[in-house]
Amino acid sequence: MSVANRQQTATSGSYDPASQKLLTFHDAVPAFRDGSDSPRAYLERCLEVIEAREPEVQAWVTINRDGARKAADEASARYKAGKQLSPIDGMPVGIKDLFMTKDMPTEMGSPLFKGNETHADSALVYGLRMSGAVILGKTVTTELGFSHPGPTRNPFDPDRTPGGSSSGSAAAIGAGMVPATIGSQVVGSVIRPASFCGNYAIKPTLGALNRGERAGTLSQSHIGVHAGSLEDMWAVAYQIAATAGGDAGYPGLYGEEAPAGPKKPTHLILLQTEGWEMLDGTTRAAFEKILDQLRRQDIQILTRADSPTIDACEVAMAESLKLARDICCWELRWSLRNLAEKDRSLMSESLQQRLALAEDMSLADYRAALDQRERMRTRFKALAPFADGCITLSSVGIAPPFDGTGSTGEPGITHQTGLPAFNAATSALGAPAITLPLMGISGMPVGVQIVGQLHRDQDLTGLAAWVRENVKPVTM
C-alpha cells in the first residue's frame, strides 16, 4: 500500500487519538545517516501524500516543488558526507502565508496582496534555511491572519473548519503532509487550529521567535510551530531561535537543543478562563476523564475554589476575548485604513468590523486595555509558587461546521473558524502553551493545553512529554 493510500485509510473513519499516526521526522534521521533513506526520498513521500489529500484539504497556497527537491538533495549530500547542519536538516516545512519567502509570493490570505512578491525571507524562514530545513511551500491563512477563512478544510471532516488563522499549517499536519509547519497566534491562531486538526503545537513565550517584518504590528503576536511530535515541534522552534533569535528587545527562546525529558508534576492549576462556560457536555466530560487520570497518579489539580490567588487570576482573565479584540483593533487601525483607501470592496465584512471598532476607540481606551493586560500578567505570575504549570482545554469543542455562519462570542467580531475562548488569555499573558492531541469527541480531535510561566518553555516540553506518556487518550 502506498504512503498516500495509508494516509487516506488512516483518516477515512472516526478520529481516534489513541490510534492516529502523525508524520514525524526525528525518527527518520538515523536512516538518513546510515544511507538506507534520504531527505529527498522523505520529501517525495510527503509530496505523494499532498498529491492525494490536497484536492480535498486545500492546505497550500503555493508549493515550490523544484526548490524543495533541490534543498532536499543538498541535505541528502550533507548526510552522506556526515555534515548534518542541525536536527532539522532536510525536514520539509510549510510556512504560513503571512511570512515572507524569497522564492514564493506572500499573499496573506487577501486579494489586496494577490501575487505579492517580496524577494526576501522573513527572519524565521531565513533561520530555517540556515538550519537545512526544506521550505516546501506556503500554507493557507485567513485574511491577514484574522477571522475571514480561506479555502482549507478540516482533514478529518471536509464539512468542518480547520480553525484559523493558521488553517493550512494545522491541516497539513493533521493530513500527514509534512512533519512541521509554521503558524502564528495573536488570539488563538496556533493552539485552536492545532486542537481541531489533532496536532502537537507550541505557542512559545511572547517574543521568543523572531517575527521579522511583522514584529512591530501587533503587540501580542507569537510565532508558533505545528508538528506531528513534541520532538519535531521543539527542534523547529529551537533552530529558529538559535539562528534568527527572538523579536527585537526580547531575549529569545531559552533552553537546550533537545526537548526536556518527561517530568511528572505534583500540582497543576486548572485554568477555566471564559471558555469554561462555553463547553458542551461531552467535551467537558472527556476533559474531566483526563483530569481524573492525573488525580489518580497523585497530581493535585487546583482550581479557583482552592485559592484566592487563583480566583483573582481567573477574574482578571474573565474578558480576555474583548481585551484581545480591543488591543488588536487599535494596533491595526492604520494598516486597515490604508487597505480601505486602496479598495474597501476587497476587505471582508469581518475585517471591516475590526476597522469600525478601531475607529470608535480612543487612546484612553487602548491605554486602559494595556493596563488590564498588565494586571492579568501580574496575577498570572503570582500563580508560579502554587504549581508546576496549568492545564486547560485547547478549544471550546470540536471544529465547527464550515458553513460561514461563525460565532459571535468575541463582542463585535464574527469568528468563522471557531471561537478562541481558551486561547485569548494565554496570548494576552504571553505565556508559553503546548497543545496535545489527547481527546476524540464525536469522531473529531480536541486538544488539551498545558501552560507555563514566561521563559519556561523547555520545562513545559518536559511536562507535556510526561502527560503524553502517562495519560491515556479519551474518546467519547
Side-chain angles (χ1 to χ4, degrees):
M1 186 182 291
S2 72
V3 173
N5 286 337
R6 288 200 304 271
Q7 186 62 27
Q8 286 180 309
T9 300
T11 60
S12 60
S14 294
Y15 174 82
D16 181 351
S19 60
Q20 181 66 28
K21 301 298 182 185
L22 294 168
L23 183 64
T24 57
F25 183 82
H26 66 281
D27 47 1
V29 170
F32 299 164
R33 292 189 179 127
D34 68 23
S36 59
D37 196 5
S38 70
R40 174 60 186 270
Y42 187 99
L43 171 65
E44 294 300 330
R45 295 194 293 273
C46 290
L47 291 172
E48 184 183 349
V49 175
I50 291 170
E51 183 73 19
R53 305 270 351 250
E54 178 62 7
E56 178 182 75
V57 177
Q58 300 180 67
W60 302 86
V61 182
T62 306
I63 298 176
N64 184 359
R65 290 174 174 81
D66 290 343
R69 284 173 169 138
K70 180 176 183 294
D73 285 342
E74 291 169 352
S76 297
R78 288 191 292 271
Y79 278 100
K80 187 174 182 179
K83 296 180 178 180
Q84 177 185 354
L85 292 178
S86 79
I88 65 169
D89 196 353
M91 177 191 283
V93 178
I95 307 295
K96 184 177 183 179
D97 195 29
L98 290 179
F99 301 101
M100 298 192 309
T101 44
K102 64 185 179 183
D103 49 0
M104 289 172 276
T106 302
E107 298 180 335
M108 297 184 280
S110 169
L112 287 161
F113 292 93
K114 186 69 175 175
N116 175 45
E117 294 279 1
T118 63
H119 304 290
D121 282 338
S122 288
L124 71 95
V125 177
Y126 204 101
L128 288 169
R129 292 193 204 271
M130 288 177 65
S131 302
V134 174
I135 307 302
L136 177 54
K138 307 296 286 290
T139 55
V140 172
T141 181
T142 60
E143 179 191 32
L144 302 184
F146 284 95
S147 302
H148 187 68
T152 308
R153 302 303 177 111
N154 192 290
F156 300 102
D157 183 347
D159 291 329
R160 295 184 180 273
T161 178
S165 61
S166 304
S167 48
S169 293
I173 298 298
M177 295 175 175
V178 284
T181 55
I182 301 301
S184 61
Q185 177 164 318
V186 178
V187 183
S189 297
V190 169
I191 299 298
R192 184 177 80 262
S195 176
F196 290 166
C197 294
N199 303 173
Y200 293 91
I202 185 170
K203 177 195 75 68
T205 296
L206 180 66
L209 303 182
N210 196 319
R211 288 177 286 161
E213 75 286 355
R214 288 177 58 82
T217 304
L218 293 161
S219 64
Q220 59 186 51
S221 177
H222 305 65
I223 298 298
V225 181
H226 295 259
S229 66
L230 288 172
E231 292 80 2
D232 292 342
M233 177 197 81
W234 180 256
V236 171
Y238 179 88
Q239 290 304 319
I240 292 171
T243 51
D247 286 342
Y250 288 82
L253 185 72
Y254 287 101
E256 305 301 321
E257 186 173 77
K263 183 177 181 181
K264 180 181 178 180
T266 60
H267 297 76
L268 290 173
I269 294 170
L270 169 59
L271 285 183
Q272 294 181 339
T273 77
E274 60 200 301
W276 194 250
E277 297 305 318
M278 302 177 190
L279 287 175
D280 63 90
T282 305
T283 301
R284 183 179 293 195
F287 185 53
E288 290 290 355
K289 287 177 181 269
I290 297 289
L291 297 178
D292 285 344
Q293 289 188 60
L294 294 169
R295 292 185 183 104
R296 288 196 296 270
Q297 297 182 72
D298 298 321
I299 298 169
Q300 188 170 355
I301 306 296
L302 303 174
T303 72
R304 63 191 308 168
D306 296 311
S307 164
T309 304
I310 299 173
D311 184 64
C313 184
E314 292 277 16
V315 170
M317 296 188 302
E319 295 186 342
S320 298
L321 281 168
K322 181 180 182 300
L323 176 71
R325 181 205 72 182
D326 289 348
I327 289 174
C328 290
C329 285
W330 180 261
E331 292 171 349
L332 275 172
R333 70 199 187 287
W334 301 115
S335 295
L336 296 184
R337 283 176 180 174
N338 280 320
L339 293 179
E341 288 181 5
K342 185 176 180 180
D343 192 341
R344 184 181 287 267
S345 70
L346 295 180
M347 297 171 65
S348 71
E349 179 182 352
S350 174
L351 210 59
Q352 293 188 54
Q353 287 175 344
R354 292 183 185 275
L355 177 56
L357 288 166
E359 299 289 15
D360 286 341
M361 289 182 66
S362 67
L363 180 57
D365 295 329
Y366 179 60
R367 287 172 175 167
L370 293 181
D371 286 344
Q372 174 61 22
R373 189 169 70 180
E374 284 307 307
R375 287 193 292 273
M376 285 175 56
R377 292 176 177 181
T378 299
R379 294 293 190 187
F380 181 73
K381 187 176 181 181
L383 301 184
F386 287 77
D388 303 278
C390 303
I391 188 167
T392 190
L393 286 150
S394 302
S395 60
V396 298
I398 66 173
F402 197 115
D403 60 7
T405 56
S407 168
T408 56
E410 182 179 342
I413 300 293
T414 300
H415 280 279
Q416 294 174 267
T417 57
L419 190 62
F422 279 110
N423 317 119
T426 57
S427 293
L429 292 169
I434 294 173
T435 180
L436 306 171
L438 287 179
M439 300 195 303
I441 310 296
S442 302
M444 293 295 293
V446 176
V448 172
Q449 187 176 187
I450 309 294
V451 183
Q453 292 289 329
L454 269 63
H455 302 299
R456 302 298 297 270
D457 303 64
Q458 187 167 42
D459 291 341
L460 198 65
T461 66
L463 198 161
W466 187 90
V467 171
R468 177 187 63 180
E469 294 183 10
N470 293 276
V471 173
K472 293 182 180 179
V474 172
T475 303
M476 293 186 72

